[in-house]
Amino acid sequence: MLKLSVLLVLVALTLELKWAATVSEPNVKDTQLSVAEFLARQHFAVSVPEKEGWTTIRATTPVCRMLVTNSPVLGWDRDVVARAATAGDRVFVVYRGKVYAERPSWLIVSYLWSRFLRELGLKVQSTSVLAVIATTGCNAERLPWDQLQ
């Protein structure tokens, strides 16, 4: 009987930790809205598809075309993003308001650490990684991405 009680307590604790971990995940719609509002403040015409879940945001000015999408921390979409870019485009990553020409390898460690803390029941907010494709003339890397947070 004692073993069954201990087992039930462990199961309940595990479920509670998993629930706490899912509650603190970032809201995809909120992130998408933040990115769209940020780009609009930068004087871009912004187009956000009405589909469910994250989709690519298109932002344009008369001399600039930009695509911004949420990118998995583990970077499995790297080839897809590279294929979407043309020869006249620049591709970069934005994480926590900083621009990186290449996806930093330490993002994986940061992601795993945050996940571990969430599984312990701590409320750690995940931060989205944004993949950006922009025409070279945009100088999109120079936008104040730190204001996006």
Side-chain angles (χ1 to χ4, degrees), residues 33-47:
L33 183 61
S34 294
V35 171
E37 289 173 348
F38 166 76
L39 292 171
R41 283 193 312 270
Q42 303 308 314
H43 309 291
F44 283 87
V46 179
S47 169

Side-chain angles (χ1 to χ4, degrees), residues 4-132:
L4 181 61
S5 297
V6 169
L7 181 64
L8 288 174
V9 168
L10 288 176
V11 167
L13 224 128
T14 302
L15 290 174
E16 172 63 27
L17 288 176
K18 288 182 181 180
W19 178 79
T22 58
V23 168
S24 61
E25 287 296 324
N27 183 323
V28 172
K29 244 352 188 186
D30 289 346
T31 302
Q32 186 181 40
L33 183 61
S34 294
V35 171
E37 289 173 348
F38 166 76
L39 292 171
R41 283 193 312 270
Q42 303 308 314
H43 309 291
F44 283 87
V46 179
S47 169
V48 181
E50 298 279 331
K51 297 177 185 173
E52 189 64 32
W54 182 271
T55 53
T56 302
I57 295 173
R58 298 177 190 282
T60 58
T61 66
V63 294
C64 183
R65 176 188 57 85
M66 187 183 326
L67 302 172
V68 181
T69 188
N70 195 30
S71 182
V73 174
L74 300 179
W76 62 262
D77 67 335
R78 210 175 303 190
D79 292 336
V80 174
V81 171
R83 280 194 303 267
T86 66
D89 290 338
R90 299 186 76 133
V91 179
F92 59 93
V93 173
V94 176
Y95 180 71
R96 293 189 178 184
K98 295 196 187 296
V99 174
Y100 300 93
E102 296 287 325
R103 179 183 303 273
S105 56
W106 55 262
L107 280 182
I108 295 171
V109 174
S110 174
Y111 165 76
L112 293 173
W113 180 249
S114 295
R115 184 174 161 187
F116 171 73
L117 292 175
R118 282 192 309 275
E119 288 179 5
L120 288 177
L122 300 173
K123 299 231 183 231
V124 177
Q125 192 72 325
S126 295
T127 305
S128 295
V129 177
L130 302 175
V132 180

